[in-house]
């Protein structure tokens, strides 16, 4: 993928691209790079065309690809939702003349770039057209990145901005900003501006500057809780209240994190690896890794007691039995007194 991006930036274009997968950032970024580097701004109105293949037959789009560019070197044709490459049943009533596409792929237009893109986890490899397109096209698999790939992504994005990032800062960036590439990229670009003088991003910069979602703030809160740093946990909790976060919402996310710790501990006992756990729990492996580290700090009895306390606090909040803020404070004080 990174190699294809470098080729696009160097204006070395393939006649056909196939971009598919479940990571929307990678799909969007590849298309944006093609738009920026293949056409001048004043050509966009004339030489850029976009078609939804659930609404337009493929042969209509290919006619556009075979049309000479107007006032420019090339045309860029974006074709979205090529469901005929998958085993999915399309709700669309559009009939596609796939033979036309087969013929086009044998002799693509020399003055057009045709880009197929779809948010599909996999394509139907049994279909002749899928095999032919994968063989002919420049392929970008926009799959969710694993932990090591995310770390590489952070380093390369920082390098693109002319700065280096320390390894401990990379780890903290993932823990605080999460695994969403849109959010990660925005945070790296922002901190790179701050680090422009030193040309280096360290852990303190990440701690100070990364904007945290409720979930990431809760992760920091739970991390303080599991290490029994109750004073720091309370400080984060009060900061969340100042940001007008509802105690019931905060409690729900704390409960979700402790449930995850409990599940990871249980699956580890059954012999599951971290990637297997991630598949079972339908979350990113990096979250499993963090929860596994936290799980080591509790025995089974403690976790059961904590889950019971959280369930009781949830019941009290929903029945209006006690002050909501006080319920979370009491939970934290009890946990701090437990050891």
């Amino acid at each position: 993928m990174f190699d294809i991006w470098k080729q696009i930036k160097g204006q070395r274009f393939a006649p056909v691209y196939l971009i598919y997968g479940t990571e929307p950032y990678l799909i969007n970024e590849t298309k944006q790079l093609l738009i920026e580097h293949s056409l001048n701004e004043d050509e966009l109105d004339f030489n850029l065309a976009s078609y939804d293949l659930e609404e337009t037959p493929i042969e209509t789009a290919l006619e556009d690809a075979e049309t000479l560019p107007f006032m420019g070197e090339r045309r860029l044709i974006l074709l979205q939702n090529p469901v005929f490459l998958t085993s999915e049943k399309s709700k669309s009533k559009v009939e596609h003349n796939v033979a036309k596409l087969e013929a086009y792929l044998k002799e693509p237009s020399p003055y057009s770039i045709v880009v197929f893109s779809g948010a599909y986890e996999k394509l139907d490899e049994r279909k002749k057209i899928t095999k032919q397109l994968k063989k002919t096209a420049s392929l970008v698999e926009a799959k969710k990145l694993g932990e090591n790939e995310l770390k590489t992504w952070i380093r390369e994005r920082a390098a693109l901005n002319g700065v280096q990032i320390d390894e401990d800062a990379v780890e903290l960036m993932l823990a605080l900003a999460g695994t969403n590439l849109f959010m990660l990229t925005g945070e790296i670009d922002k901190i790179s501006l701050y680090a422009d003088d030193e040309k280096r991003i360290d852990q303190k910069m990440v701690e100070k500057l990364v904007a945290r979602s409720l979930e990431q703030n809760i992760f920091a809160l739970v991390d303080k809780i599991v290490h029994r740093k109750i004073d720091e946990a309370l400080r984060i909790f009060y900061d969340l209240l100042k940001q007008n976060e509802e105690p019931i919402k905060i409690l729900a996310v704390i409960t979700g994190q402790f449930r995850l710790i409990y599940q990871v501990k249980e699956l580890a006992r059954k012999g599951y690896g971290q990637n297997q756990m991630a598949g079972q729990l339908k979350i990113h492996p990096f979250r499993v890794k963090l929860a596994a580290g936290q799980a080591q700090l509790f025995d089974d009895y403690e976790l059961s007691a904590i889950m019971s306390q959280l369930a009781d606090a949830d019941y009290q909040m929903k029945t209006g039995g006690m002050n909501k803020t006080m319920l979370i404070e009491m939970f934290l004080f009890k946990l701090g007194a437990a050891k």
Side-chain angles (χ1 to χ4, degrees):
M1 176 187 63
F2 290 117
D3 287 342
I4 289 173
W5 286 4
K6 285 175 186 172
Q7 289 166 15
I8 291 171
K9 289 174 184 177
Q11 296 197 318
R12 300 190 304 277
F13 304 111
V16 182
Y17 289 87
L18 173 58
I19 312 165
Y20 74 95
T22 54
E23 179 50 77
Y25 180 90
L26 299 178
I27 294 174
N28 185 67
E29 184 74 0
T30 306
K31 291 198 288 189
Q32 281 302 120
L33 285 172
L34 281 164
I35 292 169
E36 288 171 21
H37 293 277
S38 68
L39 301 174
N40 295 326
E41 197 170 335
D42 55 0
E43 293 178 58
L44 294 176
D45 289 340
F46 307 110
N47 292 327
L48 173 64
S50 180
Y51 295 95
D52 184 341
L53 294 178
E54 291 192 337
E55 297 175 359
T56 306
I58 183 64
E59 57 270 26
T60 301
L62 292 176
E63 284 174 16
D64 201 349
E66 289 171 333
T67 303
L68 284 167
F70 182 74
M71 295 175 64
E73 291 182 38
R74 62 183 69 87
R75 291 179 60 70
L76 178 61
I77 313 295
L78 304 178
L79 308 180
Q80 299 165 73
N81 304 318
V83 72
F84 54 81
L85 299 175
T86 75
S87 55
E88 295 179 17
K89 288 186 178 178
S90 175
K91 296 174 184 176
S92 168
K93 294 180 180 178
V94 174
E95 295 283 337
H96 294 285
N97 186 344
V98 176
K100 290 273 188 184
L101 176 55
E102 290 173 359
Y104 183 87
L105 292 175
K106 287 175 183 173
E107 198 174 342
S109 167
Y111 38 75
S112 288
I113 301 169
V114 174
V115 183
F116 292 88
S117 68
Y120 308 122
E121 187 172 354
K122 58 184 178 181
L123 304 180
D124 190 343
E125 304 283 350
R126 298 166 299 179
K127 292 184 175 181
K128 179 184 173 185
I129 188 59
T130 304
K131 290 178 185 174
Q132 188 181 356
L133 187 55
K134 286 190 80 171
K135 185 177 178 182
T136 306
S138 186
L139 187 64
V140 176
E141 291 188 64
K143 61 183 180 180
K144 297 286 182 187
L145 302 185
E147 181 188 345
N148 289 334
E149 291 168 314
L150 282 167
K151 288 178 179 176
T152 299
W153 174 271
I154 291 170
R155 291 187 210 101
E156 294 209 1
R157 187 72 192 191
L160 191 66
N161 290 322
V163 299
Q164 286 186 308
I165 181 166
D166 295 351
E167 280 306 302
D168 55 1
V170 171
E171 289 276 353
L172 186 60
M173 174 79 75
L174 270 178
L176 296 181
T179 57
N180 181 296
L181 284 181
F182 285 103
M183 184 175 287
L184 267 178
T185 302
E187 292 299 331
I188 297 163
D189 291 351
K190 178 182 72 180
I191 297 175
S192 296
L193 288 172
Y194 182 87
D196 192 44
D197 290 341
E198 293 89 354
K199 302 295 181 189
R200 177 172 161 259
I201 296 171
D202 60 21
Q203 195 175 29
K204 286 183 179 178
M205 285 183 194
V206 174
E207 177 76 37
K208 180 179 177 182
L209 295 171
V210 168
R212 304 177 196 187
S213 67
L214 172 63
E215 285 73 17
Q216 267 68 56
N217 269 314
I218 294 292
F219 170 79
L221 174 59
V222 172
D223 200 53
K224 300 302 181 189
I225 292 169
V226 298
H227 289 96
R228 303 309 205 275
K229 296 178 179 177
I230 303 305
D231 287 349
E232 293 178 47
L234 283 165
R235 197 174 305 126
I236 295 171
F237 173 53
Y238 295 141
D239 283 344
L240 288 168
L241 293 178
K242 286 176 189 173
Q243 294 165 29
N244 296 318
E245 295 291 357
E246 286 290 331
I248 196 164
K249 188 176 178 184
I250 295 171
L251 182 69
V253 185
I254 292 174
T255 303
Q257 184 63 27
F258 271 103
R259 187 183 298 115
L260 176 60
I261 292 169
Y262 184 88
Q263 289 170 322
V264 165
K265 197 173 183 72
E266 188 64 28
L267 289 171
R269 188 182 289 113
K270 292 178 180 178
Y272 281 67
Q274 288 187 3
N275 284 331
Q276 290 174 302
M277 292 184 203
Q280 183 83 2
L281 300 171
K282 294 182 170 54
I283 59 173
H284 196 280
F286 188 71
R287 282 195 64 200
V288 172
K289 177 187 172 183
L290 296 175
Q294 293 175 333
Q296 293 174 11
L297 301 169
F298 296 92
D299 61 34
D300 293 346
Y301 176 79
E302 285 176 305
L303 274 178
S304 294
I306 288 168
M307 295 303 293
S308 178
Q309 288 168 27
L310 289 166
D312 184 57
D314 180 67
Y315 176 78
Q316 293 282 356
M317 277 195 190
K318 288 174 180 173
T319 56
M322 284 183 66
N323 178 280
K324 293 175 182 177
T325 299
M326 192 180 295
L327 281 166
I328 294 181
E329 288 172 334
M330 285 175 61
F331 165 71
L332 295 175
F333 288 136
K334 275 185 192 175
L335 197 63
K339 276 200 174 181

